[in-house]
């Protein structure tokens, strides 16, 4: 039963790079094939993942990868706008799918993906999102145990330099899925939904576009009201000023040690970049097949991944998920529900995919779950645009 | 021009105790008279504030105090439900008024107070609220300077043990002005309005009553949307679990050193208290004329008063008001706009009252300002009750 999943990769770009430490080192997965238009990425993939008895395959088109009989499941990490076509293709060939967030840019596309997977009888998971991170899963488990009463008020904020990391032009265009609501809201909303019971009734939100040179949402605030009485306030800013990792002992999103003295680094990295083409080229220097040491040995992580400071007020305790576990603040004492340090980062993604495919355990991060999170993100944009509270209709509870 | 204000006190209870270090030590104010039904409080007042050449007077009814020719202004710190009658009485006798927050419990009462003060030609100020604290005033000044663009997103949260401090029964009854929305929202909303430009368009909120033994709001969350495009998320919990002073270097609301190890102290203080009468009696042990050392010498404060962690995202910088000043996070560097340590706590309240009365400078915390803050608090309760977003109509900008 511990035969590793034979995984194929659609898109050897930045999302793949971020999942590479997981996919290269998790014992329950083996990378066997990939598709990407860039020759240097394909060459690198074959070089990194071929074994003496089993060469890794690479393709310059996705359908050939989908047709590969040695592939059981596909990790679809192509640009957002291709997700729906690639999920359909994968399902047609009977492959299970892990599709990157945001799942898609419209509810109709999400529905098409879910229908394609259902019709083919394959599993469809959405992720990585930070709601896979062990501390949030642990907090959710504590809430669902009933020990502390119902979760009632979630306060989540995250202040990062997201908007000043090197971007391709479409990442700064909301119509093409750019901006922080699609890319970062997908994390924060996913976590809030996990902790608040999943079923968001209404969304009221504002968005901020503070920099005319990067004309997409760089910030948002939202109040989510849940069907079962919980609520959540969300604040996100990607403008690279106050950094909320300060509140978390300078442990970063990936569980790594941050340098408190590296203020303003993202903006400085863009000094001298004067055209969108130059910026895209700068981004490409960090992509697979170009950056050095794409598959590095694992170093001991300081802690789990996280997505900023989050406090959950339950009826009988407050919970604070941290990189080391979950702090529980009860009436008479507080304690850390410690989690073992991660050996493989983001192992939870592969664990959930593996459990679905090998053991038939319904995944938390199903297509329906991902669609519900996208619905909240779209409602944030709509509420900000119209100045109204938006009622939702595609919400699902955690499985 | 530095002749101290001759101040009379209406109500020698808990609010007075909290203002006592200010009123006893600020060089621009002198306590000359007071009214309270409790004989021991009156005796204590005369004992504390009589001078060889000028005995302090005390009265067992408010009208006699109002009629006292030696009194220029009254600090009205009676229970909320008496504010409107006491302000009217003060105005009738031509006294300026500083009335404690919440100003009143209804808009009609606020209007009656404003009209009475206008008709009599006296100043009406509302406070203390924490929006008088120097770091928030400094942040507001930085915003209004225009150096950092407009304020766009305010994130405020405060997790305290408010609900478990000893209470009289009416403090646990929302209809009588009990609960955290009236008492603590008055601070947090005031600060958010100061930083966001004052004019709240809409409020969407939820409230929490997590403890059936204390059946009033102990927590709330709100999203305020401002006329000029800013928004604010507010979270408050008074349930005595997670303590957000942790984020502020364990400096407390009064600028004092907190002990991080004193977890659960408020709840433990109520152990053994089994009736509302016993709890009211416990509260009374801390009131004026009963507690020891009512007028203590000033000790050096660690920092300014504050009301929890607050971050303001402006278009070109983030601001974080702290007990020591305002941290400014600009594009290329961050710095502290340091404030001198306070010599007299909450001196800003007397400063604003003095400037109004002696120099005719329109106060920020006018009756109209206090009414606008109450309107937001009432909207928080109404939004939570009805599940709707509430539009406001009595908002004013900072003067």
């Amino acid at each position: 039963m511990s035969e590793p999943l034979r995984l194929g990769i659609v898109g050897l770009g930045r999302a793949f790079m971020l999942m590479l430490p997981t996919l290269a080192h998790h014992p329950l997965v083996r990378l066997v094939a990939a598709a990407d238009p860039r020759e240097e990425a394909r060459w690198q993939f074959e070089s990194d993942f071929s074994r003496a008895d089993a060469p890794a395959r690479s393709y310059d088109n996705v359908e050939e990868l989908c047709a590969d009989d040695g592939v059981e499941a596909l990790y679809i990490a192509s640009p957002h706008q291709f997700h729906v076509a690639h999920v359909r293709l994968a399902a047609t060939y009977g492959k299970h799918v892990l599709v990157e967030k945001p799942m898609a840019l419209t509810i109709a596309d999400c529905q098409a993906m879910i229908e394609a997977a259902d019709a083919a009888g394959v599993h469809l998971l959405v992720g990585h999102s930070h709601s896979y991170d062990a501390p949030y899963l642990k907090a959710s488990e504590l809430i669902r145990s009933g020990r502390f009463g119902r979760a009632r008020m979630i306060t989540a904020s995250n202040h990062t330099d997201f908007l000043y990391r090197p971007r391709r032009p479409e990442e700064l265009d909301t119509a093409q899925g750019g901006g922080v609501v699609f890319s970062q809201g997908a994390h924060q909303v996913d976590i809030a939904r996990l902790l608040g019971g999943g079923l968001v009734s209404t969304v009221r939100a504002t968005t901020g576009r503070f920099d005319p040179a990067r004309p997409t949402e760089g910030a948002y605030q939202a109040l989510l009201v849940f069907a079962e009485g919980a609520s959540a306030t969300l604040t996100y800013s990607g403008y690279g000023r106050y950094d909320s990792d300060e509140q978390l002992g300078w442990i970063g999103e990936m569980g790594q040690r941050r340098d408190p003295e590296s203020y303003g680094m993202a903006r400085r990295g863009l000094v001298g970049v004067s055209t969108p083409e130059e910026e895209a080229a700068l981004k490409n220097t960090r992509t697979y097949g170009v950056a050095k040491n794409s598959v590095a040995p694992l170093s001991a992580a300081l802690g789990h991944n996280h997505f900023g400071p989050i406090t959950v007020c339950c009826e009988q305790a407050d919970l604070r998920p941290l990189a080391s576990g979950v702090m529980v603040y009860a009436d008479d004492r507080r304690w850390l529900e410690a989690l073992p340090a991660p050996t493989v980062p983001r192992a939870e993604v592969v664990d959930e995919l593996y459990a679905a495919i090998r053991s038939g355990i319904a995944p938390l991060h199903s297509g329906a779950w991902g669609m519900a999170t996208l619905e909240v993100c779209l409602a944030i944009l709509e509420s900000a645009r119209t100045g109204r509270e938006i009622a939702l209709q595609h919400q699902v509870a955690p499985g």
Side-chain angles (χ1 to χ4, degrees), chain A:
Chain A
M1 286 299 282
S2 62
E3 174 70 17
L5 293 177
R6 297 183 307 280
L7 194 68
I9 309 294
V10 178
L12 297 170
R14 183 80 193 142
F16 172 67
M17 282 289 274
L18 290 171
M19 280 302 289
L20 191 48
T22 313
L23 299 175
H25 295 288
H26 197 300
L28 295 180
V29 74
R30 200 146 67 77
L31 300 190
V32 298
D36 196 277
R38 289 182 303 119
E39 188 174 0
E40 71 273 23
R42 296 197 300 272
W43 181 89
Q44 184 75 48
F45 185 86
E46 291 188 17
S47 156
D48 283 341
F49 297 105
S50 287
R51 299 177 179 206
D53 58 335
R57 287 88 66 193
S58 76
Y59 305 95
D60 63 4
N61 78 81
V62 177
E63 183 151 11
E64 282 181 55
L65 170 64
C66 292
D68 186 319
D69 284 339
V71 170
E72 286 178 275
L74 289 168
Y75 168 48
I76 297 182
S78 48
H80 313 331
Q81 63 268 34
F82 299 119
H83 285 181
V84 61
H86 291 163
V87 168
R88 279 177 158 151
L89 208 51
T92 301
Y93 285 89
K95 311 298 189 196
H96 302 289
V97 172
L98 171 68
V99 61
E100 255 302 326
K101 61 87 200 161
M103 184 180 177
L105 303 182
T106 67
I107 294 295
D109 276 358
C110 292
Q111 287 171 327
M113 292 155 86
I114 293 167
E115 281 162 20
D118 284 351
V122 297
H123 288 289
L124 170 62
L125 278 77
V126 182
H128 168 258
S129 102
H130 280 292
S131 69
Y132 281 91
D133 300 347
Y136 305 123
L137 296 175
K138 179 71 182 175
S140 167
E141 179 193 315
L142 290 170
I143 291 167
R144 296 166 87 181
S145 77
R147 277 170 74 185
F148 306 117
R150 291 177 302 165
R152 295 296 303 276
M153 289 186 182
I154 299 160
T155 306
S157 62
N158 203 3
H159 292 75
T160 76
D161 58 13
F162 180 85
L163 205 65
Y164 293 91
R165 300 172 198 161
R167 298 289 166 203
R168 294 189 308 273
E170 67 266 32
E171 295 177 286
L172 300 175
D173 176 5
T174 308
Q176 297 184 68
V180 299
V181 177
F182 282 116
S183 179
Q184 301 288 281
H187 292 298
Q188 204 176 34
V189 167
D190 231 38
I191 295 166
R193 289 186 56 242
L194 174 65
L195 301 176
L199 307 172
V200 180
S201 298
T202 63
V203 174
R204 182 67 176 94
T206 62
T207 55
R209 296 173 173 229
F210 306 158
D211 182 351
R214 300 177 89 72
T216 184
E217 295 77 23
Y220 63 83
Q221 288 198 307
L223 177 71
L224 315 185
V225 179
F226 288 84
E228 291 167 355
S231 60
T233 57
L234 312 182
T235 295
Y236 188 93
S237 168
Y239 281 102
R241 292 158 184 158
Y242 171 64
D243 188 323
S244 51
D245 285 347
E246 179 187 310
Q247 290 176 44
L248 299 168
W250 292 108
I251 296 177
E253 178 176 354
M254 310 297 176
Q256 83 282 19
R257 173 78 67 202
R258 296 282 311 281
D259 174 7
E261 299 312 315
S262 68
Y263 191 81
M265 206 167 58
R267 264 196 184 75
R268 275 198 299 282
L270 293 181
V271 168
V273 171
S274 54
T275 67
E277 294 71 25
E278 282 176 24
E279 184 169 337
L282 178 62
K283 175 167 185 165
N284 265 341
T285 62
R286 305 197 300 169
T287 200
Y288 187 70
V290 177
K292 298 286 173 204
N293 296 320
S294 48
V295 183
L298 279 181
S299 53
L302 208 58
H304 288 271
N305 272 233
H306 73 75
F307 202 70
I310 295 180
T311 305
V312 186
C313 294
C314 299
E315 287 164 327
Q316 287 140 40
D318 291 346
L319 307 179
R320 300 251 298 166
L322 302 172
S324 54
V326 179
M327 272 298 296
V328 180
Y329 301 82
D331 286 355
D332 52 352
R333 66 193 184 94
R334 64 189 155 183
W335 69 92
L336 179 70
E337 292 272 344
L339 289 168
T343 49
V344 175
R346 302 187 177 181
E348 304 87 344
V349 179
V350 171
D351 295 343
E352 194 173 314
L353 183 67
Y354 188 91
I357 294 173
R358 286 282 193 274
S359 310
I361 296 174
L364 166 63
H365 297 86
S366 64
W369 177 267
M371 180 167 75
T373 290
L374 178 71
E375 188 187 26
V376 175
C377 294
L378 291 170
I380 289 174
L381 292 170
E382 186 184 349
S383 178
R385 194 173 59 241
T386 62
R388 294 175 185 232
E389 186 171 23
I390 309 299
L392 305 188
Q393 44 192 321
H394 298 289
Q395 298 297 298
V396 293

